[in-house]
Amino acid sequence: MVMGSKIEGQSTPANRRDPYEVLSVTRDSTDQEIKSAYRKLALKYHPDKNASNPEASELFKEVAYSYSILSDPEKRRQYDSAGFQALDADSMDMEIDLSNLGTVNTVFAALFSKLGVPIKTSVSANVLEEALNGTVTVRPLPIGTSVSGKVEKQCAHFFGVTINEQQAQSGIVIRATSTAQSKFKLLYFEQDANGGYGLALQEDSEKTGKVTSAGMYFLHFQVYRMDSTVNALAMAKDPEGAFFKRLEGLQPCEVSELKPGTHIFAVYGDNFFKTASYTIEAVCAKSHEDTTQKLMDTEAQILRKRNELRQFEVEYRKALAHYQEATDRYTKEKQSVDELLKQRDSIHSSFTVVKSTTSNLSNGSSSKISGEGSPEDGGSDGKDKSTKKKWFNLNLKGSDKSLL
């Protein structure tokens, strides 16, 4: 179950308490016990139900933050070993409860979404509470069929998928698509002890080609979903190195198989202003054995590639550092060579008895050796300098004729 803070709040509480204490569970608690405790507290403090109680909003964010740690095996392990210091607080995803946003903030969030910034949204507390109370309307979705519809924003359409023993063993796939590229969530609910349904899985729709889609694959092997916010955060922190983080958003799906019986799924309208159109279908993997095998092989290849990229990133950054050192040295060496050659030219030019042309011209004299006169400059011939014709008094060829 994924829920989070409002857009105007911080994803990490200022004064952090022990996550186990916040959720009232022990360090030995199972994942299911932690999930159950979170559901109760999240609904208790959800902003939808406590609009006039700011303290409840803070408690809700604290509960969501604590669950984000304990629901992730790696983060839980890090916290158990070294506390909050082992966690990267900046990587905690911020989520938005659309049902509790004002108009201005909704527009703000919609703008960021259109700009390509992934924004996680939490499922409305009203939908979750109705499901938990078992008061939702469930429509049948037989295996091998599809249903199309339109769901209002922050509302959900529920479907019951009944599978037999053979279908359960073969594997089941539930997919939802939108040719209108609507934004939606695909939800999976588990039967709760009180007869209602508790949210167990959710997949946000992603744009794939000309449609948006979301899928859940219960095929008896580990399937991964891609969290696009991880790549977006990596891009913001290090645009050049973001490529190496592209596969870091892979998150293992918590449920890999379904037992015989009826299972509850839902399509949740996640658009900011309008309804979401969708088509949901239930498929038995028995008729797609080749495709199932290809998916298994591809998932394994992607995991190997993720490990390879982690190693390659280390090698790449070392090579990049060496390259930077080499280019810096190249610039310095080139400058040094240019200066040495310039210095040598200057030394060569010092071997002469002729005064510098620049200094002679600045004194108004010719470049000839001192003592050698010329008729023009009134030297040895004794002619008066005043008789020297100026360039503007010379008769150019044909100039007299032109004056006649």
Side-chain angles (χ1 to χ4, degrees):
M1 178 177 180
V2 181
M3 302 175 72
S5 62
K6 296 184 294 182
I7 192 172
E8 53 267 38
Q10 296 293 323
S11 59
T12 306
N15 300 317
R16 296 179 290 185
R17 290 194 295 153
D18 180 4
Y20 293 100
E21 177 186 346
V22 172
L23 298 181
S24 299
V25 295
T26 66
R27 289 181 178 267
D28 297 330
S29 295
T30 64
D31 293 342
Q32 188 59 43
E33 289 171 339
I34 292 174
K35 183 184 296 185
S36 178
Y38 170 63
R39 287 173 180 168
K40 295 176 181 178
L41 291 173
L43 286 176
K44 179 180 179 180
Y45 297 121
H46 199 284
D48 283 359
K49 302 175 64 178
N50 301 274
S52 59
N53 185 359
E55 183 180 354
S57 178
E58 292 302 315
L59 289 171
F60 174 76
K61 286 188 284 186
E62 186 178 42
V63 167
Y65 176 70
S66 298
Y67 182 70
S68 71
I69 296 174
L70 300 187
S71 62
D72 186 308
E74 180 60 22
K75 290 177 183 176
R76 184 178 181 181
R77 183 192 64 77
Q78 291 176 345
Y79 176 79
D80 288 344
S81 63
F84 287 115
Q85 292 182 351
L87 300 172
D88 180 10
D90 292 335
S91 68
M92 293 298 181
D93 298 332
M94 183 182 73
E95 297 175 355
I96 304 170
D97 175 22
L98 291 180
S99 59
N100 198 49
L101 287 177
T103 304
V104 174
N105 283 332
T106 303
V107 173
F108 176 79
L111 174 61
F112 270 74
S113 181
K114 286 189 175 182
L115 290 176
V117 179
I119 296 179
K120 281 195 169 185
T121 55
S122 60
V123 178
S124 167
N126 295 332
V127 171
L128 297 176
E129 193 167 28
E130 289 176 0
L132 203 57
N133 293 333
T135 58
V136 294
T137 300
V138 180
R139 301 166 59 186
L141 178 62
I143 293 293
T145 65
S146 64
V147 174
S148 299
K150 290 185 178 181
V151 59
E152 295 293 330
K153 58 183 183 295
Q154 287 86 62
C155 294
H157 288 174
F158 288 79
F159 299 90
V161 179
T162 302
I163 60 176
N164 57 35
E165 182 72 34
Q166 184 180 5
Q167 292 169 335
Q169 291 179 358
S170 299
I172 300 296
V173 173
I174 308 295
R175 293 191 74 246
T177 58
S178 173
T179 55
Q181 299 186 4
S182 298
K183 195 171 184 291
F184 62 88
K185 295 180 186 296
L186 180 61
L187 311 177
Y188 170 60
F189 291 83
E190 292 177 337
Q191 190 78 33
D192 200 76
N194 63 358
Y197 311 108
L199 183 59
L201 298 175
Q202 78 170 43
E203 294 290 340
D204 291 350
S205 61
E206 297 283 349
K207 188 174 181 181
T208 53
K210 296 183 179 180
V211 302
T212 50
S213 64
M216 293 184 180
Y217 306 86
F218 307 97
L219 301 172
H220 301 278
F221 60 85
Q222 186 63 70
V223 177
Y224 294 81
R225 58 184 176 83
M226 179 63 75
D227 187 349
S228 58
T229 58
V230 173
N231 194 35
L233 289 171
M235 179 68 76
K237 291 180 180 179
D238 183 12
E240 292 185 359
F243 162 72
F244 296 104
K245 306 300 181 184
R246 284 189 64 183
L247 299 182
E248 293 300 323
L250 286 175
Q251 304 291 334
C253 295
E254 293 85 345
V255 182
S256 60
E257 60 183 77
L258 297 178
K259 295 180 179 180
T262 300
H263 299 271
I264 306 301
F265 297 87
V267 177
Y268 177 81
D270 213 20
N271 274 350
F272 288 98
F273 303 113
K274 57 184 180 180
T275 59
S277 60
Y278 67 89
T279 298
I280 184 172
E281 55 186 337
V283 179
C284 178
K286 179 66 175 177
S287 57
H288 297 78
E289 291 181 350
D290 291 343
T291 305
T292 301
Q293 185 61 47
K294 288 180 181 178
L295 177 59
M296 182 187 298
D297 295 341
T298 303
E299 292 281 13
Q301 291 176 23
I302 290 176
L303 286 180
R304 288 196 296 271
K305 181 59 67 176
R306 181 173 66 176
N307 293 332
E308 291 173 4
L309 280 181
R310 288 171 177 172
Q311 180 61 35
F312 177 51
E313 181 180 12
V314 176
E315 298 172 3
Y316 173 80
R317 293 193 180 281
K318 287 182 179 179
L320 190 63
H322 290 320
Y323 173 76
Q324 188 62 50
E325 292 175 2
T327 53
D328 290 344
R329 181 179 176 183
Y330 173 86
T331 301
K332 292 179 181 179
E333 295 291 0
K334 182 177 182 301
Q335 182 179 358
S336 176
V337 169
D338 290 343
E339 290 177 352
L340 286 172
L341 292 176
K342 183 178 179 182
Q343 182 179 351
R344 188 185 67 164
D345 290 344
S346 177
I347 294 173
H348 286 173
S349 65
S350 298
F351 290 99
T352 178
V353 295
V354 181
K355 292 183 178 180
S356 173
T357 302
T358 304
S359 61
N360 287 337
L361 291 176
S362 63
N363 294 329
S365 61
S366 70
S367 60
K368 290 189 177 182
I369 299 175
S370 177
E372 292 185 2
S374 65
E376 286 82 0
D377 59 10
S380 59
D381 61 358
K383 289 186 178 180
D384 188 27
K385 292 182 179 180
S386 62
T387 62
K388 184 173 69 172
K389 290 186 178 182
K390 305 294 184 181
W391 66 269
F392 48 82
N393 289 329
L394 294 176
N395 290 327
L396 301 177
K397 186 178 180 180
S399 60
D400 291 340
K401 293 181 181 180
S402 63
L403 293 174
L404 295 178

